[in-house]
Amino acid sequence: MPESPPAPVDVLVVGAGITGIYQLYRAREAGFSVQLLEAGDGAGGTWYWNRYPGARFDSESYTYAYLFSEELFDEWEWHEHFADQPEIERYLNHVVDRFDLRRHIRFGAKVAAAVYDEPSGAWTVTLPDGRELYARYLVAATGVLSVPYFPDVPGRDDFRGESYHTGLWPAAPVDFAGKRVAVIGTGSSGVQVIPASAGDVASLTVYQRTANWCTPLNNAPITPEEQAQLRADFDAMRETLNTSVHGFLHRACDRATFDDTPEERRAYYEKMWNSPGFSKLTSNYTDLLQDPAANEQWCDFIAAKIRGIVHDPQTAEKLIPKGHRFGEHRPPFVAGYFETFNRPNVTLVDLTQTPMVRVTATGIETTAGAHDFDIIVWATGFDFGTGALTRMGICGRGGLALTDHWADGPTTYLGVQTAGFPNFFFPGGPHAAAGNNPRYNGDQVDFVTDLLVYARDHGFDVVEVDPAAEEEWTSMVDRWAVRPPAFGQSSYYFGANIPGKPRRYLLNSAGRPKLFAEIADQVASDYKAFKLSRRA
Ligand code: NAP
């Protein structure tokens, strides 16, 4: 007997990362029938795929974690201020089981196509084997950093050794012991995997094209006293996190760079250098990102630190960024990164001086010659912002393909919906705010869920953003992208790392305050930016 088609669900979520899990939970708690499709074989999203050695948070564990349940917060004991990948993956699986979400998740289910059907006002989602699922609302929680990017280096597929991308790391541990290893890329992933693997290897060769402004993560175990304090302060901490611009607990500085004397400034920079994670951005002098002269002071301080740590002066100079300011690219936070280059088995290749020519069957060739390797690690980043959404075969009203709609870059309202694609949402997608991602993404999930509840309560089942609202929001994103500090456009925030990608700003620089104001306005105005209707 032919299998009968599955019953449509109210809300179909794609992606079991931190945003998708929360969306699944919120939609189910709101009384919708739900299902979640996840391409991987386990929960965790970013923290499932990026299991390379050294992978860990650079937002404080308890600020990245879910805050919707105090019981959950109380029963989970983070071991470190910045947890490592295995602990994060355990946590996300714990959440899935703690809230009985696993039975709604289908693993190993990558979306091949998702097509809006106008007569029924529902989405048909197709899996690679041709099976179809039906949903009233489709929510892609597919993340901004989920499609790994492999540069088109000649011969990349010729290599006969082992090769891995940090964003597609295998579940079975990779044995580095005694191997000749190459790492290509020195962004946040590269600078984590490099020190974590240098100890075991016969040799480690780092291929760097652009040096980054790396500063110490300053991780530490969470003491029992700190743990008790975190629990005691839960309400206050949640309030701070839920209202903070960047979603962090760090206190803002009350001074601009040149308010302090050079001595005071040095002392403050030293304090910043020794402060945890992102506080180098969020607690630094107020003009750090606005005034190029202020930014230069901080960069000079970091450069002096690098020269102080790295013994070989030529290597130190190569590790000091040129041509971009602090904060222009996403700053990585490190543990023992610069020190790694003092090891006798570690070599830095500066690709700006000796560009890569090709990958060969046995290694990598640059203009300075060829080297053989057993393992190549591609720490070469992701198709940021739109990568996943434009690879899901999404077609909206009248067969409009999302790839065509966004041919010149994404247009959104609040970073959650785009006109012409009714009943389709993408919290945590393009036009998200820079900062502690789960806080902003969680705001978006709450907004989407509340909107769907509102629609249901008022007898509507088709929800589509007004093109004018989308245009206004997207213009705001574009305007803010070129406000001071008017950094260059060389970062992946502009899609610059992917050849041929339109240079459009992919974040919302106006940040959470703008999102909060807009959400409040929508709630107060019965969601005036949306056209709510009933199926014909
Ligand atoms: P990334 O920041 O985009 O870095 C990619 C690196 O690969 C860059 O150094 C880039 O050099 C290099 N690269 C690209 N193409 C190359 C080529 N053809 N030849 C040589 N080098 C090439 O990617 P990522 O390090 O994976 O980090 C992406 C984001 O993920 C981070 O910014 C962060 O938001 C997130 N992340 C977070 C953590 C965490 O601590 N929580 C850890 C890892 C990642 P160019 O700069 O010259 O292009």
Side-chain angles (χ1 to χ4, degrees):
M1 243 184 33
E3 230 181 284
S4 52
V9 291
D10 295 329
V11 178
L12 183 64
V13 182
V14 184
I18 189 141
T19 306
I21 293 170
Y22 183 49
Q23 180 63 77
L24 179 65
Y25 169 79
R26 278 288 334 256
R28 190 194 61 185
E29 295 307 290
F32 292 109
S33 61
V34 289
Q35 186 164 30
L36 187 150
L37 302 178
E38 164 56 51
D41 291 329
T46 280
W47 302 105
Y48 168 87
W49 297 103
N50 289 265
R51 50 181 75 245
Y52 57 86
R56 66 170 62 245
F57 279 151
D58 58 14
S59 298
E60 282 81 352
S61 312
Y62 33 89
T63 70
Y64 192 101
Y66 295 115
L67 300 174
F68 64 83
S69 157
E70 187 165 0
E71 292 74 29
L72 169 65
F73 190 84
D74 281 349
E75 72 199 15
W76 187 266
E77 201 152 302
W78 292 104
H79 290 93
E80 294 173 285
H81 286 277
F82 300 96
D84 64 10
Q85 180 276 332
E87 185 173 11
I88 304 164
E89 193 184 359
R90 276 201 307 279
Y91 168 76
L92 291 170
N93 276 284
H94 168 73
V95 174
V96 165
D97 292 327
R98 164 82 165 69
F99 295 98
D100 192 21
L101 296 170
R102 201 171 292 275
R103 65 197 168 91
H104 304 296
I105 304 179
R106 187 187 286 195
F107 292 106
K110 192 179 167 84
V111 172
V115 177
Y116 182 65
D117 177 56
E118 294 210 46
S120 64
W123 284 83
T124 302
V125 172
T126 310
L127 301 180
D129 63 6
R131 271 176 305 165
E132 290 183 340
L133 300 153
Y134 309 98
R136 164 93 17 236
Y137 300 112
L138 176 65
V139 184
T142 40
V144 282
L145 290 159
S146 46
V147 175
Y149 167 64
F150 288 93
D152 197 12
V153 178
R156 185 166 57 78
D157 295 332
D158 296 346
F159 184 60
R160 290 202 304 264
E162 299 167 56
S163 89
Y164 305 99
H165 191 289
T166 48
L168 283 174
W169 204 264
V174 174
D175 183 10
F176 282 100
K179 305 273 175 62
R180 298 162 302 169
V181 177
V183 176
I184 304 170
T186 52
S188 301
S189 305
V191 302
Q192 285 187 331
V193 78
I194 288 163
S197 50
D200 284 348
V201 298
S203 68
L204 177 64
T205 309
V206 176
Y207 289 88
Q208 170 191 277
R209 191 166 62 182
T210 306
N212 273 305
W213 292 111
C214 302
T215 53
L217 180 63
N218 295 318
N219 193 16
I222 299 177
T223 64
E225 295 72 33
E226 287 171 331
Q227 194 74 58
Q229 197 62 50
L230 282 168
R231 286 178 179 153
D233 292 346
F234 178 74
D235 286 335
M237 185 189 79
R238 181 161 66 173
E239 174 66 14
T240 304
L241 288 173
N242 283 345
T243 51
S244 109
V245 171
H246 302 291
F248 287 111
L249 294 174
H250 314 141
R251 288 222 175 88
C253 182
D254 57 0
R255 298 181 312 285
T257 303
F258 300 105
D259 292 344
D260 277 358
T261 64
E263 291 69 36
E264 288 167 338
R265 207 158 42 240
R266 228 178 348 267
Y268 194 65
Y269 284 157
E270 198 64 51
K271 183 173 165 189
M272 287 293 95
W273 180 262
N274 292 308
S275 69
F278 271 96
S279 48
K280 282 87 157 183
L281 260 178
T282 53
S283 304
N284 216 318
Y285 288 116
T286 51
D287 54 353
L288 174 75
L289 299 183
Q290 271 72 45
D291 179 0
N295 198 292
E296 197 178 333
Q297 293 283 316
W298 171 237
C299 290
D300 286 349
F301 174 86
I302 300 174
K305 283 286 186 192
I306 297 171
R307 290 188 187 103
I309 297 170
V310 179
H311 300 160
D312 173 43
Q314 283 183 351
T315 303
E317 289 315 305
K318 289 177 188 169
L319 288 166
I320 296 169
K322 319 275 178 315
H324 63 99
R325 289 186 258 147
F326 186 87
E328 189 164 344
H329 296 177
R330 200 275 205 189
F333 301 100
V334 293
Y337 174 63
F338 294 117
E339 292 81 348
T340 303
F341 294 93
N342 293 332
R343 302 180 70 100
N345 63 341
V346 176
T347 310
L348 180 66
V349 177
D350 182 346
L351 294 173
T352 63
Q353 293 176 3
T354 54
M356 196 175 287
V357 175
R358 64 174 65 85
V359 175
T360 67
T362 56
I364 293 173
E365 185 184 329
T366 68
T367 52
H371 287 279
D372 287 347
F373 298 108
D374 302 304
I375 298 177
I376 296 179
V377 175
W378 296 85
T380 44
F382 300 87
D383 185 350
F384 179 72
T386 49
L389 293 174
T390 54
R391 285 172 173 81
M392 278 169 59
I394 294 169
C395 283
R397 204 184 276 291
L400 175 65
L402 187 65
T403 44
D404 291 335
H405 186 52
W406 284 359
D408 296 327
T411 52
T412 82
Y413 177 62
L414 298 189
V416 298
Q417 214 193 26
T418 184
F421 296 78
N423 291 355
F424 172 57
F425 302 90
F426 41 85
H431 297 177
N436 189 13
N437 275 6
R439 303 279 70 84
Y440 190 90
N441 300 355
D443 301 334
Q444 293 176 312
V445 166
D446 288 337
F447 175 76
V448 169
T449 312
D450 294 346
L451 170 58
L452 298 189
V453 168
Y454 178 94
R456 181 184 61 194
D457 291 353
H458 290 79
F460 301 117
D461 57 12
V462 179
V463 179
E464 182 176 5
V465 71
D466 175 6
E470 166 170 319
E471 199 181 318
E472 200 176 313
W473 180 266
T474 304
S475 311
M476 180 280 298
V477 166
D478 290 340
R479 265 195 325 276
W480 274 72
V482 295
R483 282 163 63 101
F487 285 148
Q489 300 192 357
S490 61
S491 85
Y492 69 67
Y493 296 160
F494 284 93
N497 63 327
I498 307 294
K501 191 166 173 170
R503 291 283 172 104
R504 286 291 288 274
Y505 199 58
L506 297 164
L507 291 169
N508 156 28
S509 285
R512 279 179 108 198
K514 178 68 183 164
L515 183 75
F516 290 149
E518 202 78 11
I519 288 177
D521 188 40
Q522 287 308 306
V523 172
S525 67
D526 293 331
Y527 298 95
K528 68 176 178 195
F530 294 86
K531 182 165 177 276
L532 305 177
S533 57
R534 291 181 188 83
R535 264 168 292 174

